[in-house]
């Protein structure tokens, strides 16, 4: 415990500092006054009176502060106990930048107030205000860029293709855009599920609001809850003191895209279901509910119905999400679209790389059509980019793709597990390969492909239907 002599010395030092500060303020400030708890002036420095229209400070002592300074807010300070740190006060033709503070006794009771003129000309604040305005502009610019990042980049025109399978899924997506019901997009990886989700948002009444995407498979399980619902200030050690908004709150009024929803844990599935039912979220470490208006578009490369039957995905959440379903076909099921997709990808990749546009030779397209494309359009994009980087020619030929996808010149091998093939099966496979190659070489033009094959257009369509070309049958 400090000794009595130390305590007495500490009190003397504090009192001296306060006296010194008061003297310094009095000498430096163009206006300084003290009022009692009734807002009556008890002291004023010598400089203030000449700004207020009289010469002797003693003339103001004992008067209500408003009688001397009509626009004073000192009464508000001593009544409320709340300081006014910076304010502009008008008096006649002059303006002052002032600061007002309450004065309390040892018990904390307000016994008066203290006012000081910080600047007798508001223009002296110009450098501070200029910096403040710059900071405001920087904040507005940052928010604008963040809003742009949350806007969609794709529309239905970005989902390239004119095959029946492509047109069907685009028609279903346009119907989905007209409502706010949840949408479940099912398809293999690389088929363009997020592209369709963005297109739906862009064509919906929510287009002007945020589109927020979360890849559930890419975020550690322990972080998903805070990523979805946000974190309250100081919720745990290391948490932001200001808290952090979750994806649901960021997507308020817009669309939340949940990619790879099939990878979500059972515990989080239950919480997501509650949010969809109640339209309320609760941040981690908070006990306050926040209402949210969010349209959910979910996507998965898994067979979600089988996941439900196996007990790995909640049936009630599946039915909540599965209001409108889009089944995106794999690239191998719409090879009619391969030429136009390849040309579109070649153009966009060349622009991104800063290179001149390249064309695709018919032989190159026919060669690409022989591949099964397990990675779908994403794999096709990768293959075309590699070919563009390795070739300087204006037109990409088959030889540019052969090193990347070797062995496609040969006929398809017998599928694994098949012990024998009938003559009819061999003939069907040969016809299928010839038709697919002809359509690819003709850039999807069926009439031109029929002429190349030496058959009528009607016969070509008949064979396409019989052989299952452009569907999941082959």
């Amino acid at each position: 415990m400090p000794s009595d002599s130390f305590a007495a010395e500490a009190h003397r030092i504090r009192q001296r500092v306060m006296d010194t500060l008061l003297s310094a303020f009095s000498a430096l400030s163009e206006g300084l006054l003290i009022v009692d708890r009734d807002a009556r002036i008890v002291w004023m420095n010598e400089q203030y009176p000449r700004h207020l229209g009289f010469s002797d400070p003693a003339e103001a002592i004992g008067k209500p502060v408003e009688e001397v300074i009509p626009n004073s807010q000192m009464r508000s300070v001593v009544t409320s106990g709340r300081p006014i740190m910076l304010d502009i006060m008008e008096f006649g033709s002059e303006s002052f930048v002032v600061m007002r503070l309450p004065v309390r006794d040892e018990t904390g009771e307000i016994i008066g107030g203290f006012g000081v003129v910080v600047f007798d000309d508001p223009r002296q604040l110009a450098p501070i205000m200029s910096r403040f305005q710059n900071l405001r502009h920087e904040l507005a610019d940052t928010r604008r860029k963040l809003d742009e990042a949350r806007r969609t980049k794709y529309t239905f025109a970005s989902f390239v293709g004119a095959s029946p399978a492509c047109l069907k899924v685009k028609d279903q997506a346009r119907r989905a855009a007209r409502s706010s019901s949840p949408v479940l997009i099912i398809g293999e990886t690389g088929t363009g599920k997020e592209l369709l989700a963005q297109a739906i948002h862009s064509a919906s009444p929510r287009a002007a609001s945020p589109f927020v995407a979360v890849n559930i498979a890419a975020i550690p399980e322990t972080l998903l809850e805070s990523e979805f619902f946000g974190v309250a200030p100081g919720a745990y050690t290391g948490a932001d003191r200001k808290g952090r908004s979750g994806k649901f709150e960021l997507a308020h009024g817009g669309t939340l895209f949940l990619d790879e929803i099939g990878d979500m844990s059972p515990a989080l599935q239950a919480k997501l279901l509650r949010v969809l039912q109640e339209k309320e979220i609760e941040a981690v470490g908070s006990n306050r509910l926040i209402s949210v208006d969010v349209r959910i578009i979910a996507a998965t490369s898994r067979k979600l119905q089988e996941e439900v039957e196996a007990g790995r995905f909640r049936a009630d959440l599946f039915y909540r999400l599965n209001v409108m379903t889009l089944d995106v076909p794999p690239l191998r099921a719409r090879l009619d679209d391969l030429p136009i997709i390849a040309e579109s990808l070649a153009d966009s990749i060349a622009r991104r790389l800063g290179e001149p546009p390249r064309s695709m030779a018919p032989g190159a397209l026919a060669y690409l059509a022989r591949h099964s494309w397990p990675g779908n359009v994403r794999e096709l994009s990768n293959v075309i980019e590699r070919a563009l980087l390795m070739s300087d020619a204006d037109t990409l030929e088959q030889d540019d793709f052969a090193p990347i996808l070797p062995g496609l010149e040969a006929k398809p091998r017998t599928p694994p597990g098949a012990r024998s093939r009938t003559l009819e099966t061999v003939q069907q496979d040969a016809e299928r390969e010839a038709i697919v190659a002809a359509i690819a070489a003709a850039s999807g033009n069926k009439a031109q492909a029929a002429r190349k094959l030496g058959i009528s257009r009607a016969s070509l369509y008949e064979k396409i239907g019989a052989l299952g070309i452009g569907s999941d049958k082959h």
Side-chain angles (χ1 to χ4, degrees), residues 114-383:
F114 174 81
V116 58
V117 174
V118 182
F119 297 111
D120 59 355
D121 184 352
R123 287 175 295 182
Q124 293 175 277
L125 279 177
I128 298 173
M129 294 304 296
S130 175
R131 179 166 177 77
F132 175 69
Q133 290 296 335
N134 288 338
L135 288 172
R136 285 187 63 185
H137 291 153
E138 288 176 11
L139 178 61
D141 188 53
T142 301
R143 285 177 173 167
R144 179 183 57 78
K145 290 178 179 177
L146 186 59
D147 288 341
E148 288 176 357
R150 289 184 182 137
R151 292 195 185 108
T152 51
K153 297 181 290 185
Y154 303 112
T155 64
F156 287 119
S158 307
F159 195 77
V160 177
S163 66
C166 178
L167 295 177
K168 179 182 177 182
V169 75
K170 287 172 77 169
D171 181 62
Q172 291 173 334
R174 287 191 178 94
R175 290 175 182 273
R178 296 198 289 264
S179 77
S180 288
S181 299
V183 179
L184 179 62
I185 305 177
I186 301 173
E188 296 178 8
T189 180
T191 51
K193 297 188 292 295
E194 181 169 356
L195 188 154
L196 269 178
Q198 290 197 24
I200 291 170
H201 174 80
S202 296
S204 75
R206 297 172 178 259
S209 299
F211 176 90
V212 179
V214 182
N215 188 330
I216 294 169
I219 301 174
E221 174 66 29
T222 53
L223 299 180
L224 269 176
E225 185 175 354
S226 60
E227 193 72 17
F228 275 141
F229 310 126
V231 179
Y236 50 81
T237 303
D240 193 328
R241 287 183 297 174
K242 296 180 180 179
R244 184 167 62 86
S245 299
K247 293 297 191 287
F248 269 93
E249 195 172 352
L250 294 175
H252 180 70
T255 301
L256 180 61
F257 175 58
L258 304 177
D259 199 8
E260 298 301 344
I261 189 78
D263 289 6
M264 183 178 286
S265 69
L268 200 56
Q269 289 176 33
K271 293 183 179 180
L272 176 59
L273 178 64
R274 187 187 182 285
V275 172
L276 297 180
Q277 290 173 337
E278 306 298 330
K279 300 188 183 304
E280 292 177 334
I281 61 169
E282 186 176 335
V284 175
S286 172
N287 56 5
R288 184 172 66 92
L289 293 174
I290 303 171
S291 296
V292 289
D293 172 24
V294 174
R295 198 254 180 100
I296 298 292
I297 301 180
T300 181
S301 56
R302 299 190 181 195
K303 297 184 185 299
L304 218 52
Q305 182 67 59
E306 295 180 6
E307 296 291 305
V308 171
E309 293 168 0
R312 291 187 291 269
F313 199 85
R314 292 180 64 108
D316 45 6
L317 178 58
F318 173 70
Y319 296 128
R320 176 70 66 171
L321 296 172
N322 192 31
V323 176
M324 303 185 75
T325 305
L326 302 182
D327 198 344
V328 187
L331 182 57
R332 63 182 175 276
R334 56 184 188 111
L335 285 175
D336 292 2
D337 293 329
L338 188 143
I340 189 172
I341 294 173
E343 293 279 3
S344 175
L345 287 172
D347 285 344
S348 62
I349 293 170
R351 283 196 303 271
R352 176 166 56 81
L353 296 176
E355 295 190 358
R358 317 276 193 93
S359 59
M360 305 276 286
L365 293 170
Y367 186 81
L368 293 175
R370 297 189 187 107
H371 187 50
S372 59
W373 299 110
N376 294 291
V377 178
R378 187 177 293 129
E379 182 187 4
L380 177 60
S381 176
N382 174 271
V383 168

Side-chain angles (χ1 to χ4, degrees), residues 1-23:
M1 290 287 293
S3 64
D4 291 342
S5 61
F6 175 83
E9 180 67 10
H11 177 74
R12 189 178 72 83
I13 293 172
R14 287 198 304 271
Q15 190 63 47
R16 183 59 182 161
V17 168
M18 286 187 283
D19 292 343
T20 302
L21 286 175
L22 182 60
S23 299

